[in-house]
Amino acid sequence: MKAKVNGTFRDLADGTSVAAVVALVGAPAQGVAVALDGAVVPKALWEKTIVPDGGVVEVLTAVQGG
Amino acid sequence: MDDPLIIAGKEFRSRLITGTGGAANLSVLERALVASGTELTTVAMRRVDAAGQTGVLELLRRLGIEVLPNTAGCRTSAEAVLTAQLAREALETNWVKLEVVHDEETLLPDPVELLDAAERLVNDGFVVLPYTNDDPVLALKLQDIGCATVMPLGSPIGTGLGIRNPHNIELITARATVPVVLDAGIGTASDAALAMELGCSAVLLATAVTRADNPELMGAAMRCAVEGGRLAKLAGRIPQRFWAQASSPGL
């Protein structure tokens, strides 16, 4: 199945979790948040939240700015 | 003199809030932040794989500086609310510098989207520090819906044009009951001092320091300027006169 991860379509195995996507993009261990289809997924739910086919995932962290 | 800045019940000894954008590297940023004496500093939220990702969080935590996430880059209320919620999740803070800009050329706040986002975030338990136009009416509306500060611009972000409408800033500081933070447009130390003399409680700046020839020195200059401007405001300036008035006694 395909999902859009940080603006790029990716082929993901069925049943891929949000936690797996976070690892896929090389996110740091701390200071990271995830939105799935426009809603925040709390960190405690990353493992059990499955990315649906066509899902849109955004993985964000803090950078220099402002 | 014990004169803390208090925002949403939290005390800060420094009245200079800084941003982290525009610094050449983390080493330069660190020296500038230390010289500025800031205790509260903004960061942006971006995709993990985007260029520009740094260890800015680790730096701020090591320096003991509070992190203030912003919603820079957001153009709609919905974008800003989601970005703030992501920042709260990532950084474990419910404070947010709310930015909802209208267009990339001016980076001026969109007042309609801003007010809507501010209301939603206040209702969601956020401590909202909104970057706003220098509009006294909008500033009061933001205060009345529960924002922790109001942060009018001096001039557009990154222009260094200083405070283009000092009277509007004074109208805001005269009526606001929450801290007024002059945000954006500061070019040099005298702009920051003027903001404080106009009655602002604090100054928020980034570019003026991070893109100065010597960011560390400008950070120190801004620290002194904010402190000097605050003292001058508290001291009470003399009335301006049309004709001269001798300060020495007559013969």
Side-chain angles (χ1 to χ4, degrees):
Chain A
M1 62 101 168
K2 281 188 184 297
K4 198 171 188 179
V5 178
N6 281 358
T8 303
F9 282 105
R10 291 193 184 235
D11 289 314
L12 301 177
D14 288 350
T16 297
S17 68
V18 164
V21 173
V22 171
L24 186 70
V25 299
Q30 294 186 328
V32 176
V34 177
L36 173 60
D37 293 333
V40 177
V41 182
K43 192 166 188 176
L45 299 179
W46 286 1
E47 289 287 353
K48 62 172 70 169
T49 302
I50 304 304
V51 178
D53 188 28
V56 177
V57 185
E58 296 284 346
V59 186
L60 270 65
T61 191
V63 300
Q64 282 178 246
Chain B
M1 185 178 66
D2 188 30
D3 178 37
L5 168 67
I6 301 174
I7 300 175
K10 188 176 283 192
E11 287 194 12
F12 301 92
R13 284 160 299 159
S14 170
R15 291 176 177 272
L16 180 56
I17 305 171
T18 53
T20 52
N25 56 57
L26 283 180
S27 176
V28 168
L29 179 63
E30 177 172 354
R31 290 198 299 275
L33 291 176
V34 170
S36 77
T38 187
E39 295 171 306
L40 181 64
T41 294
T42 66
V43 296
M45 299 301 295
R46 289 292 179 272
R47 289 169 171 167
V48 160
D49 53 356
Q53 186 181 333
T54 67
V56 68
L57 274 186
E58 290 74 15
L59 171 64
L60 295 179
R61 284 178 177 150
R62 179 161 55 80
L63 296 177
I65 296 173
E66 297 269 350
V67 176
L68 177 61
N70 68 29
T71 62
C74 293
R75 300 279 288 272
T76 66
S77 170
E79 286 177 357
V81 168
L82 178 59
T83 302
Q85 290 169 337
L86 286 164
R88 178 170 63 182
E89 180 73 15
L91 307 181
E92 297 174 350
T93 175
N94 64 343
W95 285 42
V96 64
K97 177 188 169 182
L98 178 62
E99 288 186 41
V100 192
V101 301
H102 179 264
D103 63 272
E104 290 304 308
E105 278 190 314
T106 67
L107 295 176
L108 289 173
D110 182 321
V112 176
E113 297 293 319
L114 177 70
L115 198 60
D116 184 73
E119 196 157 22
R120 288 169 188 251
L121 289 170
V122 167
N123 290 338
D124 193 18
F126 280 87
V127 174
V128 179
L129 291 74
Y131 164 62
T132 173
N133 297 291
D134 59 353
D135 177 342
V137 176
L138 179 59
L140 282 186
K141 284 183 182 286
L142 288 163
Q143 171 183 287
D144 291 346
I145 63 170
C147 290
T149 63
V150 290
M151 306 206 298
L153 55 82
S155 50
I157 293 170
T159 61
L161 290 170
I163 299 172
R164 305 306 285 181
N165 197 335
H167 185 59
N168 270 14
I169 300 299
E170 276 193 298
L171 285 172
I172 295 170
T173 61
R175 298 172 81 184
T177 55
V178 295
V180 177
V181 182
L182 196 289
D183 182 2
I186 297 290
T188 189
S190 52
D191 297 331
L194 175 60
M196 301 304 289
E197 290 167 3
L198 294 173
C200 292
S201 296
V203 169
L204 197 164
L205 57 85
T207 309
V209 165
T210 58
R211 295 203 163 105
D213 288 345
N214 186 328
E216 183 177 9
L217 205 53
M218 190 61 88
M222 292 301 183
R223 176 185 197 155
C224 294
V226 168
E227 290 174 357
R230 174 69 178 175
L231 289 174
K233 177 63 179 177
L234 294 177
R237 64 158 298 147
I238 60 166
Q240 291 174 300
R241 296 168 54 92
F242 187 78
W243 297 112
Q245 181 185 39
S247 55
S248 301
L251 291 174

